[in-house]
Amino acid sequence: MSVIPQDLEDILSKRSFAHIATIGPSGEPQSSPVWIDWDGQYLKFSQTTTRQKYRNLQREPRLAVSALDPEQPYRYLEVRGRVARVEDDPDRAFINRMAKKYMDADEYPYDQPGDHRVIVYVQPEHTTRM
């Protein structure tokens, strides 16, 4: 059973930008916005393996995710959890699906040569809400 409240689950499926907070190498918080996807069990986002957020999660898999409802910004959901797994996205299917959702583009336009893109699966463990 998911800890995501059913009446706020839609926020995770909309074009909501989420801020992912991780713990940096010296214990400092690091937060940045990402596109998200929700499959009913895992909160997912794309990442490249050269980013600080990815390195932080390799070392410390706990994170917090905060997402606002784009139509009602005072309605939000915070999800605390941990990385359940990381999968390669070699054919860019996931990031392209996110580009379609967020940009209405068939392909993600910002990949750089040599980018190793992965999908991060987050297992929600606790939520707060407004």
Side-chain angles (χ1 to χ4, degrees):
M1 178 153 179
S2 177
V3 298
I4 306 296
Q6 285 186 340
D7 64 324
L8 294 177
E9 195 171 29
D10 65 300
I11 294 173
L12 303 178
S13 300
K14 292 180 179 183
R15 289 173 52 168
S16 304
F17 289 86
H19 284 83
I20 306 287
T22 62
I23 304 299
S26 300
E28 75 283 4
Q30 191 257 348
S31 177
S32 58
V34 298
W35 297 339
I36 56 171
D37 189 38
W38 172 245
D39 67 8
Q41 181 177 2
Y42 296 106
L43 183 66
K44 300 182 283 187
F45 63 94
S46 183
Q47 195 66 186
T48 59
T49 56
T50 57
R51 298 251 173 95
Q52 183 65 49
K53 182 184 326 342
Y54 178 79
R55 292 191 305 271
N56 291 348
L57 292 171
Q58 291 295 298
R59 190 186 61 264
E60 169 57 76
R62 294 178 299 166
L63 69 158
V65 180
S66 177
L68 299 174
D69 184 331
E71 287 102 34
Q72 300 176 50
Y74 291 102
R75 184 173 175 255
Y76 77 89
L77 179 64
E78 180 204 19
V79 178
R80 296 180 200 165
R82 64 183 57 245
V83 174
R85 69 179 187 272
V86 175
E87 292 181 355
D88 285 333
D89 189 15
D91 61 359
R92 306 294 199 258
F94 180 77
I95 191 60
N96 288 339
R97 192 167 69 244
M98 294 294 91
K100 188 66 170 173
K101 175 180 174 180
Y102 284 88
M103 303 174 71
D104 200 27
D106 291 330
E107 290 187 4
Y108 180 68
Y110 303 117
D111 265 335
Q112 299 298 312
D115 277 353
H116 178 196
R117 191 158 286 281
V118 295
I119 308 161
V120 179
Y121 288 74
V122 176
Q123 178 67 60
E125 296 175 345
H126 176 78
T127 60
T128 57
R129 60 184 285 165
M130 177 74 162

